[in-house]
């Protein structure tokens, strides 16, 4: 049983996560053409830098370094200005503003405020992966310049090419401070890597989806359909039927009304078929005006009935050209049962389709030939 204390903690946790998520997603539009991941990266890195700066403000106040607390507060405000750039739609400027502010912040800390023993120069390393996350579309020379700046900054700090530091950590506090800085650096680098991996996974999934989808009709393409029937042929014990469909005299539609109207016709036909096929049916565009379906049913009569319904839906659905003229198109359909030999099953369906064409088009033909007959006739 959940106690009131646990409910309160869960509520605070949910509130914190909701607030954090809303900040990270500030001004992001996943369905727009803007770089969704880069804006998320800017927001998250700015939040982290502001939070880290706020912790250091408390540290400086505790140590009595009030001028340093004020300077850190100014950097904190500067990081916050990145959100204003994002608000006005200038994410590119927000990235540079945040990165340059961070570089200036860490350089002043490591070369003017403290000496190299304070360890602030190690924060400069995080700027390199941050530049890739915040500027994913920038030229490689932009990232190269940030890397060179980081290298020079760390060199200046390490060899001590600066004046006597303005502040000095108490001896008994130095180790603790460096330990805290190390933890923050590890968190920063891990955060950058996690965001980078998520972006890579998302793009990989998007590329996979694009390789399996027909760009025009937004249904699966030939590659996906052929790999799917191979999988079903080998792994499933259920009965499936392949329906191969070809629009009749489609070249005449392109010639008479133009290719734009032809593309619209293909989209309308795909949408019409999608609305009437049984749930779970695989529907794909094989190329041009040819489509294919994989239906799960135990009876060939049902598969033929599905094909007839599709044929009638296409024939009775009027289409409109770009000039407003109405026209109709018809389809010929070949049906064959899927067996463990998926290639020959597809060949039978194609053969039935050609028979439908030969019989006058706008009809359905079931492949009555036995699969062994086709194998025997193979060259």
């Amino acid at each position: 049983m959940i106690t009131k204390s646990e409910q309160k903690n869960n509520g605070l946790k949910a509130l914190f996560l909701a607030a954090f998520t809303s900040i990270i997603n500030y001004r992001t539009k996943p369905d727009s053409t803007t770089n969704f991941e880069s804006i998320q990266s800017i927001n998250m890195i700015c939040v982290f830098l502001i939070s880290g700066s706020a912790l250091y403000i408390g540290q400086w106040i505790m140590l009595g370094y009030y001028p340093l607390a004020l300077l850190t507060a100014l950097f904190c405000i500067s990081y916050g200005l990145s959100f204003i750039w994002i608000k006005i739609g200038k994410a590119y400027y927000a990235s540079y503003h945040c990165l340059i502010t961070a570089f200036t912040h860490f350089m002043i800390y490591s070369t003017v405020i403290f000496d190299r023993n304070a360890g602030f120069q190690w924060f400069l390393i995080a700027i390199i992966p941050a530049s890739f996350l915040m500027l994913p579309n920038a030229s490689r020379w932009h990232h190269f310049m940030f890397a060179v700046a980081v290298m020079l900054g760390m060199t200046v700090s390490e060899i001590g090419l600066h004046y006597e530091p303005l502040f000095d950590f108490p001896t008994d506090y130095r180790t603790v401070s460096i330990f805290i800085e190390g933890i923050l650096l590890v968190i920063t680098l891990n955060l950058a890597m996690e965001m980078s991996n998520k972006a890579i996974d998302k793009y990989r999934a998007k590329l996979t989806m694009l390789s399996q989808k027909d760009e025009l009709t937004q249904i699966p393409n030939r590659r996906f359909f052929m790999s799917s029937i191979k999988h079903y042929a080998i792994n499933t014990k259920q009965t499936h039927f392949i329906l191969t469909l070809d629009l009749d005299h489609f070249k005449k539609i392109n010639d008479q009304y133009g290719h734009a109207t032809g593309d619209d016709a293909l989209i309308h036909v795909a949408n019409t078929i999608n609305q009437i096929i049984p749930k779970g049916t695989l529907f794909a565009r094989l190329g041009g005006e040819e489509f294919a379906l994989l239906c799960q049913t135990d009876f060939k009569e049902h598969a033929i009935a599905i094909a007839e319904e599709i044929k009638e839906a296409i024939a009775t659905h009027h289409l409109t050209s770009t000039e407003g003229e109405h026209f109709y198109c018809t389809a010929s359909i070949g049906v064959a049962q899927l067996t463990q030999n998926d290639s020959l099953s597809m060949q039978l369906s194609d053969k039935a389709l050609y028979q439908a064409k030969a019989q006058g088009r706008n009809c359905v033909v079931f492949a009555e030939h036995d699969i062994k007959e086709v194998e025997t006739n193979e060259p």
Side-chain angles (χ1 to χ4, degrees):
M1 188 174 183
I2 301 177
T3 63
K4 290 183 177 181
S5 176
E6 291 175 335
Q7 289 178 344
K8 184 178 180 180
N9 290 335
N10 291 337
L12 291 174
K13 183 179 179 180
L15 183 63
F16 172 78
L17 289 175
F20 182 75
T21 302
S22 64
I23 295 174
I24 298 305
N25 292 328
Y26 177 69
R27 306 295 288 185
T28 58
K29 297 178 180 179
D31 57 342
S32 71
T33 56
T34 58
N35 197 312
F36 176 69
E37 286 81 11
S38 67
I39 295 177
Q40 275 194 326
S41 299
I42 298 168
N43 292 340
M44 185 172 290
I45 291 172
C46 285
V47 167
F48 182 82
L49 289 170
I50 292 171
S51 302
S53 298
L55 290 175
Y56 274 107
I57 291 173
Q59 174 182 273
W60 304 144
I61 292 175
M62 183 180 67
L63 293 174
Y65 294 169
Y66 299 113
L68 196 51
L70 178 60
L71 178 62
T72 306
L74 293 176
F75 280 117
C76 196
I77 293 172
S78 183
Y79 290 130
L81 293 177
S82 298
F83 291 109
I84 296 179
W85 283 116
I86 293 175
K87 183 176 181 179
I88 63 176
K90 303 291 184 180
Y92 191 78
Y93 295 154
S95 300
Y96 270 99
H97 179 91
C98 183
L99 290 168
I100 293 173
T101 299
F103 180 80
T104 306
H105 186 177
F106 302 149
M107 280 297 296
I108 290 177
Y109 268 49
S110 59
T111 61
V112 179
I113 305 299
F114 299 101
D115 59 19
R116 64 180 182 178
N117 294 323
F120 279 100
Q121 67 274 19
W122 295 105
F123 281 118
L124 289 167
I125 298 175
I127 291 178
I128 298 175
S131 71
F132 282 92
L133 289 171
M134 301 170 78
L135 296 165
N137 298 321
S139 165
R140 61 180 179 175
W141 296 110
H142 293 243
H143 305 301
F144 177 75
M145 287 189 295
F146 277 110
V148 169
V150 167
M151 179 191 69
L152 293 176
M154 294 193 68
T155 301
V156 169
S157 178
E158 284 296 318
I159 65 179
L161 296 179
H162 53 80
Y163 298 103
E164 189 70 21
L166 299 179
F167 295 93
D168 190 21
F169 276 118
T171 304
D172 56 349
Y173 189 78
R174 188 183 301 275
T175 302
V176 176
S177 180
I178 292 177
F179 178 73
I180 294 174
E181 292 164 12
I183 291 176
L184 290 174
L185 181 60
V186 169
I187 292 174
T188 303
L189 292 175
N190 274 277
L191 182 65
M193 290 302 298
E194 182 179 354
M195 293 179 65
S196 178
N197 288 335
K198 285 183 178 180
I200 291 172
D201 290 342
K202 184 172 181 179
Y203 284 121
R204 184 183 291 117
K206 186 175 182 179
L207 287 174
T208 301
M209 180 189 69
L210 290 174
S211 69
Q212 298 175 345
K213 181 180 287 189
D214 177 60
E215 185 177 358
L216 178 65
T217 59
Q218 297 300 301
I219 61 175
N221 59 15
R222 183 185 186 88
R223 180 200 300 268
F224 184 77
F225 185 81
M226 299 306 292
S227 64
S228 296
I229 64 171
K230 183 180 290 293
H231 170 79
Y232 280 107
I234 297 172
N235 298 297
T236 185
K237 295 182 180 179
Q238 296 176 317
T239 305
H240 289 81
F241 290 85
I242 299 173
L243 282 63
T244 307
L245 178 153
D246 190 82
L247 298 180
D248 300 324
H249 303 297
F250 192 76
K251 185 177 182 300
K252 291 183 178 179
I253 296 176
N254 281 329
D255 292 342
Q256 183 174 352
Y257 301 107
H259 287 279
T261 295
D263 288 345
D264 288 340
L266 291 173
I267 294 171
H268 286 301
V269 167
N271 292 338
T272 300
I273 296 174
N274 255 328
Q275 291 173 3
I276 62 175
I277 57 178
K279 185 177 181 181
T281 299
L282 175 59
F283 176 41
R285 183 187 178 197
L286 300 184
E289 64 273 19
E290 189 174 6
F291 298 85
L293 299 93
L294 183 66
C295 303
Q296 190 274 309
T297 177
D298 292 330
F299 307 102
K300 75 172 187 179
E301 291 79 11
H302 186 207
I304 294 173
I306 293 172
E308 291 285 354
E309 185 180 4
I310 292 172
K311 178 181 71 72
E312 292 299 323
I314 294 173
T316 57
H317 184 80
H318 79 269
L319 303 168
T320 306
S321 71
T322 54
E323 297 179 355
E325 298 179 69
H326 296 297
F327 65 95
Y328 293 86
C329 68
T330 60
S332 301
I333 305 176
V335 183
Q337 183 175 342
L338 175 66
T339 67
Q340 290 187 341
N341 194 327
D342 59 282
S343 178
L344 288 174
S345 299
M346 192 71 190
Q347 185 179 343
L348 277 175
S349 181
D350 283 338
K351 189 173 183 179
L353 170 62
Y354 294 140
Q355 290 175 353
K357 294 282 189 181
Q359 292 178 17
R361 294 181 169 84
N362 192 28
C363 63
V364 176
V365 172
F366 184 82
E368 298 290 353
H369 298 284
D370 186 74
I371 199 76
K372 293 181 180 179
E373 180 183 337
V374 179
E375 288 177 329
T376 303
N377 294 331
E378 280 290 296

